[in-house]
Amino acid sequence: MKRRVRTLYLLTLVCALLGCTSLWAATSKQHKADVAGAGATFPAPLYQHWIKEFDATSPGFTISYDEVGSGEGVKRFLADKVDFGASDSAMTDTEAAQATYGVQFIPVTAGMVVLAYNLPDIITPLRLSREVYVDIFLGNIKKWNDSRIAALNPGLSLPNLNITTVSRADSSGTTWTFTNHLKAISPRWSDAGFTAAKKMGWPGNSMSVNYNEGVANRIRLSWGAIGYVEYGIAKRAGLSMAVLENRAGKFVAPSVASGMAALTNNVTAMPDNLRLFIPDPLGQDAWPIGTYSWLLLHKNYADPQQGARITKFVDWCLRDGQKYAEQYGYTPLPEAVSSRALQALQQVH
C-alpha cells in the first residue's frame, strides 16, 4: 500500500513538473519579441532605452536587441537569424554582397572611443599625445612614470606601475574604430604589422575581455590599466579618461561638444551609401576617435508587415530618439546626416 502511495506521489510530482515546464515554454514563446536585432555593444545602452521609449508609444509590436558585438551582429544578419543587425564598422563590400535581401546602412547615432585608465591618487586627467598612446598600445611604453608621459604631465607624480592595456576579446566595432584610428595617425602601427581589425592579438602587456562593459569593469578593478571603451559606458563606470591630442595638435577632453565637432566638421564627406568612417577628424575642437553606428536593414523584407514594423521603429529613432543620445553619452546626429538617413530608409521595402 505504501509503495502504491509513493508511486502515485511521484507520478503526480512528475506531471506537475512537466506542467510547469510546458507553462514556462509557453510563456517564453509568448514573450518572444516580434522584431529581433543583434550587434554592437557600443551603442547598446541607447538602443535599449530607445526600445523602452518606443514601446511606450504602443506600436502594437515588441522589439528585442541582443548585445553580442558588431562582428556577431553582422554574422546573424547575414544568416537571417535577426531582423536587423547593428555595427560600429557598418559592413564590408564583401559582406554586403552576401546579404540575400540586400542591405541598407542607416546611421542612427554616433559616439566616442575614449582611453580610460586606473591610476591611484591621480586626480588631474592625464594628457596623452598621439605618439605616446600609439606606443602604449604597441607595448613600447611599459611604465606609467615613463619620461615621455611625464613630460606631457608636469607636476603629476606618476606611479612606478606597469602599464596593462585592456582590449576586446570578441569581434568588435569598437576595436575596429580604435585600430582604424591608430592606422590613420601612425605609420608605426602598420610597420609593426598591424591594421584596422575587429579582433586582434595586442602586443605588450595586454589582457582581453568581452564587450565594452567588460573592458570598463576590468579597468575599474585593475591598477595600472588603460583601455579603449565607449565614452558613455566609461562615464557611467566612473572611470578617468585621458585628454588626447587631435589632428590639429590640440589637447581635447571627451565631451558631447567635442564629439559633435568631429561629426559636423566632416559631414560633407558622407558618401551615398552613408558608410562614413572618420578615423582622424578635422577640427580644432574635435575629439580624435569617434564613429557613427549603423543599423543594418534588409532592402527587401519578405514579410511586408515585418518591413513596416522595422521602418517605423528606425524612423522614430532618427526623429524622436535623437533627444536621448546626449544623456547616455552619445552624439546626436547632425541634421544633415539624419535627413539623409531618413531618405535612405525609404529604400527599405
Side-chain angles (χ1 to χ4, degrees):
M1 181 69 181
K2 289 182 178 180
R3 181 176 297 176
R4 291 182 59 189
V5 170
R6 187 183 298 112
T7 302
L8 287 172
Y9 172 78
L10 290 173
L11 286 172
T12 302
L13 179 62
V14 169
C15 289
L17 289 173
L18 288 174
C20 290
T21 302
S22 300
L23 178 61
W24 177 85
T27 303
S28 297
K29 186 174 181 181
Q30 180 181 357
H31 284 86
K32 182 179 179 181
D34 299 306
V35 175
T41 65
F42 183 93
L46 179 61
Y47 288 179
Q48 297 293 6
H49 185 74
W50 278 351
I51 290 170
K52 178 182 176 182
E53 292 293 335
F54 180 72
D55 183 65
T57 68
S58 301
F61 59 91
T62 58
I63 303 172
S64 67
Y65 181 71
D66 197 1
E67 307 162 23
V68 292
S70 293
E72 180 64 21
V74 169
K75 287 181 181 178
R76 293 189 188 184
F77 177 79
L78 292 176
D80 295 326
K81 293 182 178 179
V82 291
D83 300 299
F84 66 91
S87 173
D88 306 321
S89 56
M91 185 185 285
T92 67
D93 290 340
T94 301
E95 290 169 333
Q98 300 172 34
T100 306
Y101 304 104
V103 60
Q104 183 67 58
F105 304 132
I106 305 291
V108 289
T109 192
M112 296 171 285
V113 177
V114 301
L115 298 185
Y117 58 90
N118 184 349
L119 289 178
D121 303 323
I122 300 295
I123 299 174
T124 303
L126 280 180
R127 289 160 54 99
L128 297 177
S129 68
R130 291 149 79 88
E131 288 189 357
V132 163
Y133 65 76
V134 168
D135 273 342
I136 285 175
F137 281 88
L138 279 174
N140 296 332
I141 296 179
K142 304 179 185 300
K143 293 279 190 177
W144 279 110
N145 61 350
D146 185 278
S147 59
R148 294 170 64 189
I149 301 177
L152 294 165
N153 298 275
L156 289 185
S157 180
L158 296 170
N160 182 26
L161 272 178
N162 290 329
I163 295 175
T164 302
T165 59
V166 183
S167 60
R168 290 281 291 274
D170 53 321
S171 181
S172 159
T174 310
T175 298
W176 190 92
T177 297
F178 183 50
T179 55
N180 195 37
H181 169 73
L182 297 180
K183 178 184 174 183
I185 69 169
S186 175
R188 293 196 310 284
W189 183 253
S190 299
D191 291 343
F194 299 109
T195 186
K198 292 179 183 176
K199 186 176 182 179
M200 61 170 289
W202 290 85
N205 185 26
S206 183
M207 54 184 170
S208 297
V209 293
N210 288 333
Y211 311 136
N212 269 285
E213 290 84 353
V215 172
N217 287 333
R218 184 60 60 90
I219 294 169
R220 185 170 55 83
L221 296 173
S222 307
W223 278 8
I226 183 170
Y228 57 92
V229 65
E230 190 275 323
Y231 167 69
I233 292 173
K235 187 175 180 180
R236 286 189 293 278
L239 298 178
S240 299
M241 292 173 266
V243 173
L244 300 183
E245 182 187 13
N246 65 13
R247 183 171 178 172
K250 305 294 184 181
F251 284 86
V252 295
S255 68
V256 172
S258 60
M260 181 61 78
L263 299 186
T264 55
N265 290 330
N266 297 271
V267 72
T268 56
M270 182 69 74
D272 291 341
N273 67 0
L274 306 186
R275 187 179 58 187
L276 174 66
F277 305 123
I278 45 175
D280 193 18
L282 298 167
Q284 296 281 321
D285 301 321
W287 180 252
I289 319 171
T291 184
Y292 285 98
S293 199
W294 293 264
L295 293 184
L296 312 174
L297 309 184
H298 295 299
K299 285 194 173 182
N300 297 284
Y301 284 87
D303 181 354
Q305 182 183 34
Q306 198 71 334
R309 288 169 171 170
I310 292 165
T311 54
K312 182 176 182 179
F313 171 62
V314 179
D315 183 274
W316 182 92
C317 294
L318 291 167
R319 298 180 192 273
D320 298 341
Q322 294 301 304
K323 65 187 176 185
Y324 300 107
E326 187 171 342
Q327 73 184 74
Y328 279 85
Y330 299 92
T331 310
L333 295 180
E335 193 280 330
V337 175
S338 60
S339 63
R340 289 188 61 182
L342 286 165
Q343 292 173 9
L345 190 60
Q346 297 176 14
Q347 304 303 312
V348 175
H349 302 291

